């Protein structure tokens, strides 16, 4: 099963992706996690991406498309994957189509988490406070300024993907404001409907 989770920062994509991983035994491919790992490892890609990420802007399509093309070829992704945070632009969605088509594969569904944007800043602040209280490290882009920039980037560059995937017939929408278990149920229903061809 090959899925995309779509939704603004703080919508709960990461949490829901983790649940899908446990239930379906396919990996979560988060371009944000991959880029943060590259920054931490000090690779060339990491060096190019760091300042852009810290400012809440998008890394170039060229870099992320390359990362994803390599990642989907790894053994654990052969039976499927959950893309979290990719694609984030229409050109990335087109690149993904090419990457999958070259391997004779396609997507099963694109699941959009619809959320109220005003609630997202509060969610981010809560996540930061909980992480600090638990003695964890906070992401460099989890501060109000970068977060608002990430929301603007989402609105301008990623939101058009809803219309894009609605046109291809792959889009399924769930209410991301419901409680976490309810969102999981909605996603499972959407996945079941998509894989049944409904
Ligand atoms: P995320 O963990 O998905 O919130 O991503 C954190 C940051 O990584 C984003 O704000 C971007 O700077 C960068 N990033 C992650 N995925 C992408 C992508 N598909 N395209 C461009 N930049 C990305």
């Amino acid at each position: 099963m090959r899925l995309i989770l779509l939704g603004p920062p703080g919508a709960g994509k990461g949490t829901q992706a983790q649940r899908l991983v446990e239930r379906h035994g396919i990996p979560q491919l988060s371009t944000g996690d991959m880029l943060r790992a590259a920054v931490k490892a000090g690779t060339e890609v990491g060096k190019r991406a760091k300042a852009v990420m810290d400012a809440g802007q998008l890394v170039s399509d060229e870099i992320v498309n390359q990362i994803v093309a390599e990642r989907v070829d790894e053994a654990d992704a052969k039976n499927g994957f959950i893309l979290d945070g990719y694609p984030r632009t229409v050109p990335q969605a087109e690149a993904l189509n090419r990457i999958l088509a070259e391997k004779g594969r396609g997507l099963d569904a694109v699941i959009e988490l619809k959320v109220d944007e005003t609630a997202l800043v509060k969610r981010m602040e809560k996540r930061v406070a909980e992480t600090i209280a638990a003695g964890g490290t906070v992401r460099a882009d989890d501060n109000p300024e970068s977060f608002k920039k990430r929301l603007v980037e989402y609105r301008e560059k990623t939101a058009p993907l809803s219309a894009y995937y609605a046109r291809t017939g792959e889009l399924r929408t769930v209410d991301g404001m419901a409680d976490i278990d309810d969102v999981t149920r909605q996603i499972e229903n959407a996945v079941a409907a998509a894989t049944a061809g409904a």
Side-chain angles (χ1 to χ4, degrees):
M1 183 172 66
R2 285 174 290 273
L3 292 181
I4 292 176
L5 284 185
L6 198 60
K13 298 187 298 296
T15 305
Q16 296 299 335
Q18 270 310 313
R19 291 180 169 203
L20 286 159
V21 166
E22 280 159 29
R23 196 177 156 109
H24 299 279
I26 50 176
Q28 168 193 15
L29 310 189
S30 155
T31 41
D33 285 350
M34 293 182 236
L35 288 165
R36 280 185 289 277
V39 170
K40 205 167 164 203
T43 64
E44 250 340 283
V45 163
K47 284 181 198 148
R48 282 169 68 190
K50 185 177 185 329
V52 178
M53 291 172 73
D54 287 354
Q57 291 169 329
L58 292 187
V59 174
S60 75
D61 290 344
E62 175 214 338
I63 289 182
V64 287
N65 290 339
Q66 179 69 29
I67 290 178
V68 170
E70 287 169 12
R71 184 65 185 84
V72 296
D73 259 350
E74 287 179 30
D76 65 338
K78 285 278 186 278
N79 291 327
F81 47 75
I82 302 142
L83 282 167
D84 160 12
Y86 179 93
R88 250 180 167 95
T89 63
V90 170
Q92 287 181 19
E94 290 165 346
L96 177 64
N97 281 345
R98 284 194 298 275
I99 290 166
L100 295 179
E102 275 169 19
K103 303 171 204 306
R105 303 189 210 160
L107 289 169
D108 291 294
V110 178
I111 298 177
E112 181 179 17
L113 275 67
K114 279 266 189 209
V115 288
D116 165 12
E117 274 200 22
T118 53
L120 294 178
V121 177
K122 287 203 190 88
R123 274 197 192 178
M124 183 275 294
E125 285 168 351
K126 189 164 168 256
R127 180 168 77 187
V128 168
E130 284 170 356
T131 307
I132 291 170
T137 318
V138 174
R139 278 168 51 171
D141 58 354
D142 264 349
N143 60 75
E145 203 182 313
S146 293
F147 190 78
K148 281 179 189 148
K149 182 70 196 154
R150 283 157 63 198
L151 281 178
V152 171
E153 290 280 79
Y154 185 83
R155 234 175 279 135
E156 289 178 357
K157 298 183 181 151
T158 311
L161 286 178
S162 302
Y164 177 88
Y165 285 119
R167 273 197 301 277
T168 64
E170 290 157 310
L171 186 72
R172 304 207 172 229
T173 305
V174 303
D175 172 15
M177 296 309 289
D179 76 57
I180 295 181
D181 290 343
D182 190 16
V183 177
T184 305
R185 270 191 295 275
Q186 292 181 61
I187 292 175
E188 290 299 344
N189 289 342
V191 167
T195 48

